[in-house]
Amino acid sequence: MNTVIEVSNVSKTFGKGTTLNRVLDNCSLCVNEGEFVSLMGASGSGKSTLLYLIGGLDRDFEGKITLCGEDIGSLKDNKLSKLRLSNIGFVFQFYNLVMNLNVEDNILLPMTVNGKKKSELKKELDEILEITGLTEKRKAMPSTLSGGQQQRVAIARAILGNPSIILADEPTGNLDSKSTAEIMELFSRLNKEKGLTILQVTHSEKCASYGSRTILLDSGKIVGSDDEQPGEVSAEEEPASDTEKAE
């Protein structure tokens, strides 16, 4: 099985001098193609910071991150942008929709900005609208949608263009329990039916249970995985004795 994400001895600090804050401390992990992995940890544990580093949204770190075989730390900005566009879909807690664009145009926006014509994307768009249950809402404005529907628009936007990886940061953080279950079931379906590799940040054990593996962070260190395999996780500390560190 191919490794699509490899994090090797990555550390991240903010500030300097007496205000220096080490957010990540010598983290290493691997995610294989087709996995659905959850990063869990208390607030401030570094899980979102690690996700942003993996996605190339923050490039100031120590160590090495390899994404789809590319060392992202050595890539120039334009090559990193192309790598992200072709391989990664991002889903955030706040849906980041353009409020004056309808559902269809929000989904198409990243691709049309990068030169694709709507006519070229029509078939794929129709399929994605069906998968995400948004066919009847394609002309609706975001303000008329529920939170769960808005997040489905964000997911549809993320998977347009057939990326190999979805990076999701607290994707259900603003949703009620019913909408949370619907979004997690959609992620599970995308993982199983389309073979998408998913790495999500979550504080919810229930959301993490939809995936195939959970990695725990505590104070910037990876302290364990619920299904460790050789090469997947390495850490200097012993695994946590229970999951309370991630609550």
Side-chain angles (χ1 to χ4, degrees), residues 34 62 72 75-76 100-101 107 131 134 144 161 165 188 203 231 237 247:
E62 300 171 19
I72 66 173
L75 294 179
K76 294 182 178 179
N100 64 344
L101 295 180
I107 295 170
I131 290 169
L134 292 168
T144 68
I165 301 167
S188 180
H203 64 275
E237 295 188 356
E247 294 178 348

Side-chain angles (χ1 to χ4, degrees), residues 143-211:
S143 60
T144 68
L145 303 179
S146 68
Q149 288 170 332
Q150 290 188 57
Q151 190 61 297
R152 278 189 271 157
V153 177
I155 293 169
R157 180 181 58 196
I159 64 176
L160 186 69
N162 197 31
S164 54
I165 301 167
I166 295 293
L167 300 180
D169 185 21
E170 297 282 8
T172 63
N174 285 334
L175 303 179
D176 59 30
S177 57
K178 181 176 181 294
S179 296
T180 291
E182 291 173 350
I183 292 301
M184 294 312 303
E185 287 165 6
L186 175 57
F187 275 130
S188 180
R189 181 183 174 190
L190 291 169
N191 170 246
K192 292 173 182 176
E193 294 182 8
K194 293 181 70 69
L196 283 174
T197 302
I198 300 175
L199 179 61
Q200 72 159 341
V201 161
T202 182
H203 64 275
S204 165
E205 290 187 1
K206 186 171 183 179
C207 289
S209 70
Y210 282 83

